[in-house]
Amino acid sequence: MSNKNPILFSFRRCPYAMRARMAIKLCKQTCAIREISLRSKHEEFLNLSQKGTVPVLLLPNGNIIDESLDIIKWAISMNDPFKLKSDDDKIYKEDLAIIKVFDDDFKFHLDRYKYSSRYENVNREKHRNKAQAILAEINTLLIENNWIRGDHPTLPDISILPFVRQYRIADTEWFDRHLKLPRVKNWLNDFINSTLLSQVMLKYKIWEKGDPEIIL
């Protein structure tokens, strides 16, 4: 199977798909985007990845990348004009470690905080506080800069901010009024109001076979 451009199967609100879209945008890669319904997944999409989760990137040579962080690494390998990846190997490894904490621990607590009704015997406040403790560590990284590694978003920012955004959405009033992490709040606010986020959160119709390709 060959396509002129890579094709990204995505779902607008999925944080994993969001970070993949941001990387593709920042790395100036031309990709077609196909919005997927998670309730009624298209057969062609399911044939690409047995996991059935977004994002999935289909490359022109037929290769498939079905992990968001791998899509980000692919985009960076193609072009990295904003230096998302640090040239310092030590910092790069630290960035990957930060992302892993959010992908594993923070996401675990976020799910049980935001979607507590889906779980049995869950103490919602406990999981909110566990996630808050992880954010407190990020707060210390933002002492000198607006972003984790300087004056613009880099790999850890785009990889974890979609999950922090969900944390706020779980209880916006509590986050805005009671969270005592001012630098995290400013960091998230800058992200929410960024041109980058508005660009990757455009609404697209659910893709159907035969639809003209839409470029991200």
Side-chain angles (χ1 to χ4, degrees):
M1 186 175 183
S2 178
N3 302 289
K4 180 180 177 182
N5 295 310
I7 297 173
L8 181 72
F9 292 83
S10 180
F11 177 67
R12 181 174 176 268
R13 297 195 306 274
C14 170
Y16 296 102
M18 285 171 62
R19 68 186 188 182
R21 296 196 303 270
M22 285 192 286
I24 288 169
K25 273 287 185 184
L26 289 170
C27 294
K28 302 185 182 302
Q29 296 305 296
T30 301
C31 284
I33 184 168
R34 295 180 179 178
E35 182 76 3
I36 295 299
S37 168
L38 299 184
R39 294 183 178 180
S40 180
K41 297 171 185 175
H42 199 284
E43 182 179 359
E44 183 171 331
F45 166 66
L46 292 174
N47 287 339
L48 293 177
S49 175
Q50 293 183 346
K51 295 191 307 176
T53 58
V54 292
V56 172
L57 185 68
L58 174 61
L59 298 178
N61 62 7
N63 288 344
I64 296 163
I65 308 176
D66 63 358
E67 292 287 351
S68 61
L69 194 54
D70 289 336
I71 293 173
I72 293 172
K73 291 176 179 178
W74 167 83
I76 289 172
S77 73
M78 300 298 289
N79 185 35
D80 191 15
F82 293 102
K83 297 296 181 183
L84 298 181
K85 179 184 176 182
S86 174
D87 292 331
D88 185 318
D89 191 54
K90 179 176 181 292
I91 292 177
Y92 177 56
K93 289 178 179 178
E94 289 174 357
D95 288 346
L96 293 179
I98 291 170
I99 295 167
K100 182 172 176 53
V101 168
F102 273 79
D103 284 4
D104 296 346
D105 300 341
F106 189 85
K107 184 64 165 59
F108 176 86
H109 296 300
L110 172 64
D111 286 347
R112 284 152 184 80
Y113 171 44
K114 191 171 190 286
Y115 307 110
S116 56
S117 62
R118 299 180 183 178
Y119 300 89
E120 292 185 7
N121 302 318
V122 162
N123 183 325
R124 186 171 184 264
E125 184 175 338
K126 170 189 171 183
H127 289 287
R128 182 192 71 192
N129 294 341
K130 290 283 189 180
Q132 180 181 347
I134 296 172
L135 287 177
E137 297 180 24
I138 297 298
N139 203 62
T140 64
L141 297 177
L142 298 168
I143 292 175
E144 297 181 0
N145 304 299
N146 292 333
W147 305 92
I148 290 176
R149 295 301 180 192
D151 60 0
H152 68 280
T154 57
L155 176 61
D157 299 290
I158 67 168
S159 297
I160 68 181
L161 272 164
F163 300 101
V164 182
R165 176 177 173 271
Q166 282 201 334
Y167 181 76
R168 177 179 181 267
I169 289 172
D171 190 336
T172 302
E173 182 178 1
W174 177 86
F175 185 98
D176 290 346
R177 295 184 61 182
H178 301 293
L179 181 67
K180 305 302 182 184
L181 300 173
R183 289 185 289 273
V184 163
K185 292 166 79 168
N186 290 337
W187 174 60
L188 178 62
N189 189 61
D190 286 348
F191 172 65
I192 290 172
N193 292 295
S194 68
T195 300
L196 174 62
L197 183 62
S198 65
Q199 288 175 338
V200 302
M201 291 301 283
L202 295 175
K203 291 185 179 180
Y204 301 104
K205 71 175 287 291
I206 301 299
W207 175 76
E208 295 290 345
K209 193 167 185 177
D211 285 349
E213 293 290 14
I214 299 171
I215 299 301
L216 175 64

